[in-house]
């Protein structure tokens, strides 16, 4: 790398913190060029207010087929139907509206008893194992998988296939072919399930899409399958990582955990603080400018790519006092862990409900819970969502 070449996008990160480079970049170069590969040098946005501006501005496109788009791979992946993350209005708006009724606050509140029952059953299984276990295998991964399978109407017996393909799609380092194969396998699987549900519907999201959207011509079967792939991947991968890292964070900050145990009214705010503090989506939100736009006093030209570093924005000292400190009493409601603007996470209410339910129940059941290894020994998933492969604990 020559002295004039912009620095690379930071991807290596410690267990609980963003990449170290972001600490100085937020204040010293809040908006600057980076290098992804070859001669592609998109802008990197690190400041909170600039991140909100980019993510809510329709002049920044999410369409990954546009020239200059800073994709995850050097080659542009083929567009498949229903990929909301790679769409702009009006198609994005049309398809997103089909999912909104399934993830309203009221709908999620109706799911809380089921989430509590799933959590209790998994904790029973953990307790039956003795005094140690891998929390990823036996709790943090199966919990959101069970919840999302129940919501969608997907057989939980297929969970190993689902997680294997979802992990392949989310592992950027595996390369574009492996990522496409993972997506394609889930896409075909869900097309078959949609066809089956259209013949024999039940009370689940798959059936409602099949009978109310596809059968009426509002969406094609391929679009519906594409939507469901995203829900299935995002609906368990992100929450599983948050449960794992949230557990580690609280165990590493015993004073914060003690405060939660002493006052359960702190739980909703503590979950928001954990979302801010951990910010597990660590490869950035990708956009490309469709016309010249001024952001933070800098003109971003039409055709320039932009990477919004959510993990940096959520540690912006201009918005969060002592941003590198975990504080479960903090009002962290301005965090961007779920994104912002038209592409903000549809499933955020569901994720909150799972975290607010599972973490307190885990620590209540196992008051002596502790890590069985030093955090430095944990292996990271290496996927677009930051997390750990295993979480050995004892109690």
């Amino acid at each position: 790398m020559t002295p004039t070449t912009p620095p690379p996008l930071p991807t290596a990160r410690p267990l609980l913190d963003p990449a170290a480079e972001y600490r100085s970049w937020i204040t010293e170069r809040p908006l600057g060029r980076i290098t992804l590969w070859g001669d592609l040098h998109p802008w990197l946005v690190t400041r909170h207010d600039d991140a909100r501006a980019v993510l809510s501005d329709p002049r920044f496109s999410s369409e990954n087929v546009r020239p200059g788009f800073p994709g995850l791979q050097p080659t542009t992946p083929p567009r498949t139907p229903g990929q909301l993350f790679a769409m702009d209005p009006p198609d994005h708006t049309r398809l997103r509206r089909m999912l909104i009724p399934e993830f309203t606050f009221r709908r999620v509140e109706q799911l809380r008893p089921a989430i509590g029952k799933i959590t209790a059953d998994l904790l029973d299984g953990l307790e039956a194992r003795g005094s140690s276990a891998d929390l990823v295998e036996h709790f943090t991964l199966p919990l959101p998988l069970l919840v999302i399978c129940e919501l969608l109407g997907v057989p939980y017996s297929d969970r190993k296939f689902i997680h294997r393909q979802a992990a392949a799609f989310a592992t950027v380092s595996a390369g574009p072919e492996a990522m496409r194969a993972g997506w394609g396998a889930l896409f075909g699987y869900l097309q078959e399930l949609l066809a089956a549900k259209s013949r024999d519907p039940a009370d689940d999201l798959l059936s409602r899409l099949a009978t109310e959207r596809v059968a009426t011509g509002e969406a094609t079967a391929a679009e519906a399958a594409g939507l469901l792939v995203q829900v299935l991947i995002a609906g368990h991968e992100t929450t599983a990582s948050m449960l794992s890292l949230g557990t580690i964070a609280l165990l590493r900050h015993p004073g914060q955990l003690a405060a939660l145990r002493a006052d359960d009214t702190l739980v909703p705010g503590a979950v928001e603080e954990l979302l801010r503090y951990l910010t597990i989506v660590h490869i950035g939100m990708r956009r490309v400018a469709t016309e010249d736009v001024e952001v933070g006093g800098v003109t971003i030209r039409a055709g320039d790519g932009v990477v919004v570093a959510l993990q940096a924005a959520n540690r912006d000292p201009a918005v969060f006092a002592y941003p590198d400190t975990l504080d479960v009493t903090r009002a962290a409601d301005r965090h961007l862990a779920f994104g912002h603007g038209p592409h903000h996470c549809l499933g955020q209410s569901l994720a909150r409900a799972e975290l607010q339910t599972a973490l307190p129940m885990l620590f209540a059941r196992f008051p002596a819970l502790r890590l069985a290894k030093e955090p430095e020994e944990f292996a990271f998933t290496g996927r677009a969502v930051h997390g750990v492969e295993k979480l050995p604990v004892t109690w």
Side-chain angles (χ1 to χ4, degrees):
M1 185 171 72
T2 67
T4 57
T5 302
L9 174 70
T11 54
R13 59 180 288 181
L15 182 61
L16 302 178
D17 295 306
E21 293 92 331
Y22 287 124
R23 285 191 175 90
S24 59
W25 287 5
I26 293 170
T27 54
E28 296 172 11
R29 59 183 307 270
L31 208 159
R33 297 277 194 174
I34 55 170
T35 297
L36 286 186
W37 49 76
D39 59 354
L40 185 62
H41 304 297
W43 296 93
L44 179 69
V45 174
T46 60
R47 198 161 46 193
H48 185 275
D49 289 351
D50 293 343
R52 284 174 59 94
V54 169
L55 294 176
S56 60
D57 194 323
R59 294 173 293 180
F60 289 101
S61 172
S62 297
E63 293 184 345
N64 59 0
V65 294
R66 288 179 179 265
F69 186 90
L72 298 179
Q73 302 287 348
T75 56
T76 302
R79 173 77 68 85
T80 58
Q83 286 185 327
L84 282 181
F85 63 85
M87 285 183 175
D88 293 334
D91 283 341
H92 174 268
T93 307
R94 173 178 64 87
L95 293 176
R96 184 182 171 96
R97 281 176 178 164
M98 297 179 191
L99 295 177
I100 288 175
E102 304 293 336
F103 295 97
T104 61
F105 178 78
R106 181 178 179 181
R107 170 68 174 135
V108 169
E109 287 302 295
Q110 293 171 344
L111 289 172
R112 278 190 185 261
I115 295 170
K117 176 64 165 58
I118 289 169
T119 302
D121 289 345
L122 288 171
L123 292 175
D124 288 345
L126 265 180
E127 195 167 19
R129 296 189 64 80
S131 60
S132 65
D134 172 15
L135 213 59
V136 170
E137 180 181 357
H138 298 288
F139 186 66
T140 65
L141 179 59
L143 192 156
L145 251 176
L146 275 162
V147 172
I148 203 65
C149 285
E150 179 167 309
L151 177 67
L152 266 63
V154 172
Y156 185 64
S157 56
D158 293 338
R159 63 191 181 277
K160 290 184 178 179
F161 165 80
I162 291 167
H163 181 63
R164 185 169 63 250
Q165 304 307 329
F169 172 71
T171 305
V172 179
S173 60
E177 293 303 322
M179 294 177 70
R180 283 196 286 270
W183 178 279
L186 287 176
F187 185 77
Y189 168 75
L190 287 163
Q191 279 189 306
E192 292 179 4
L193 277 182
L194 274 168
K197 294 285 186 177
S198 67
R199 296 188 295 269
D200 184 19
D203 183 17
D204 53 50
L205 176 52
L206 267 159
S207 297
R208 284 187 284 277
L209 280 179
T211 60
E212 299 173 14
R213 308 296 186 178
V214 176
T216 61
E218 190 175 346
T220 67
E223 286 175 329
L227 288 175
L228 290 164
V229 172
Q230 291 164 92
V231 172
L232 193 56
I233 293 174
H236 83 274
E237 184 83 14
T238 52
T239 305
S241 290
M242 271 302 306
L243 284 169
S244 297
L245 293 180
T247 299
I248 296 169
L250 289 171
L251 289 175
R252 296 283 283 178
H253 296 81
Q256 301 299 303
L257 178 55
L260 276 184
R261 282 176 161 150
D263 183 2
D264 59 9
T265 66
L266 292 177
V267 169
V271 166
E272 301 307 309
E273 171 67 349
L274 285 168
L275 287 162
R276 178 202 72 85
Y277 182 75
L278 296 169
T279 312
I280 57 174
V281 178
H282 69 118
I283 56 168
M285 307 291 283
R286 312 296 178 99
R287 300 289 187 270
V288 62
T290 58
E291 56 183 270
D292 293 357
V293 188
E294 184 173 312
V295 177
V298 175
T299 299
I300 297 176
R301 301 294 181 187
D304 282 355
V306 179
V307 178
V308 179
L310 299 179
Q311 70 273 46
N314 279 340
R315 297 288 185 101
D316 187 343
V319 178
F320 304 103
Y322 305 103
D324 295 326
T325 299
L326 178 67
D327 179 2
V328 297
T329 67
R330 183 198 304 271
D333 54 313
R334 292 188 64 194
H335 72 76
L336 300 176
F338 292 116
H340 184 65
H343 283 268
H344 73 276
C345 176
L346 257 175
Q348 58 184 284
S349 292
L350 181 61
R352 286 183 168 106
E354 292 177 74
L355 293 166
Q356 291 168 9
T357 301
L359 287 172
M361 289 180 68
L362 171 67
F363 287 112
R365 179 70 70 92
F366 301 106
L369 190 73
R370 64 185 185 275
L371 301 177
K373 285 186 177 181
E374 290 299 317
E376 293 74 19
E377 300 179 53
F378 293 160
F380 299 157
T381 59
R383 296 196 278 275
V385 174
H386 182 55
V388 292
E389 291 285 2
K390 297 180 182 297
L391 177 48
V393 294
T394 61
W395 56 85

